[in-house]
Amino acid sequence: MRKQKKVQDSYVIMTELVLPNDTNTLHNLMGGRMMHWMDIVSAIAAQKHSNRIVVTASVDNVSFSESIKLGNVVTLEAKVTRAFNSSMEVHIVVYSEDIPSGKKVKSNQAFFTFVAVDQLGNPIDVPEAVPETEEEIKLYEGALRRRQLRLVLAGRMKPSEANELRSIFDIKEGAQGAE
């Protein structure tokens, strides 16, 4: 039986201050800097879950809903949503806070996938993720659909093999596309 770890045990919070070097000419945080921070916080969460070296396998569904200004404090929260064989999906939520005004908003979220590797760089099994809260269960249940979508889009899985995706669209086995 595979070892198990609670989703909450992978939880990481990282805080950054937006400085001039982090911004574009409009004094907004650059998207690339945000993605860099998201990669770091999510890698730490994946390492905490697997107790292994991890490498970024994919980044998807990065949403930028609010701009982040020079001088804002950025808080990134990450945790593993589900573990497969050697891969783990990590959900990241980003908050931006203007401390003088007291305004705090959710500005970004994303899903990153990491693979745990041994010292030679070969994939290695990771513990199963055990969700406990309602939110953790919801993210856990959706992770297989997101994984299948990533694999289909990458050409590593045939759409007809993506059972979780087929069930969403009520696609019957062997059904053809729209006529």
Side-chain angles (χ1 to χ4, degrees), residues 11-14 41 75-79 91-95:
Y11 182 68
V12 177
I13 299 175
M14 186 170 101
V41 73
T75 303
L76 302 97
E77 299 179 3
K79 61 184 166 185
H91 183 233
I92 307 103
V93 180
V94 180
Y95 298 94

Side-chain angles (χ1 to χ4, degrees), residues 95-148:
Y95 298 94
S96 173
E97 184 174 6
D98 180 345
I99 291 178
S101 73
K103 181 181 175 191
K104 184 175 182 177
V105 296
K106 180 177 167 182
S107 59
N108 305 72
Q109 66 174 341
F111 291 97
F112 281 42
T113 303
F114 289 86
V115 173
V117 296
D118 62 19
Q119 285 70 17
L120 300 175
N122 298 312
I124 190 165
D125 287 346
V126 298
E128 182 180 343
V130 179
E132 297 178 303
T133 68
E134 189 174 320
E135 178 197 12
E136 289 171 357
I137 292 167
K138 182 179 174 186
L139 288 168
Y140 179 92
E141 289 174 347
L144 183 56
R145 288 187 294 274
R146 290 185 296 272
R147 180 176 192 257
Q148 287 183 355

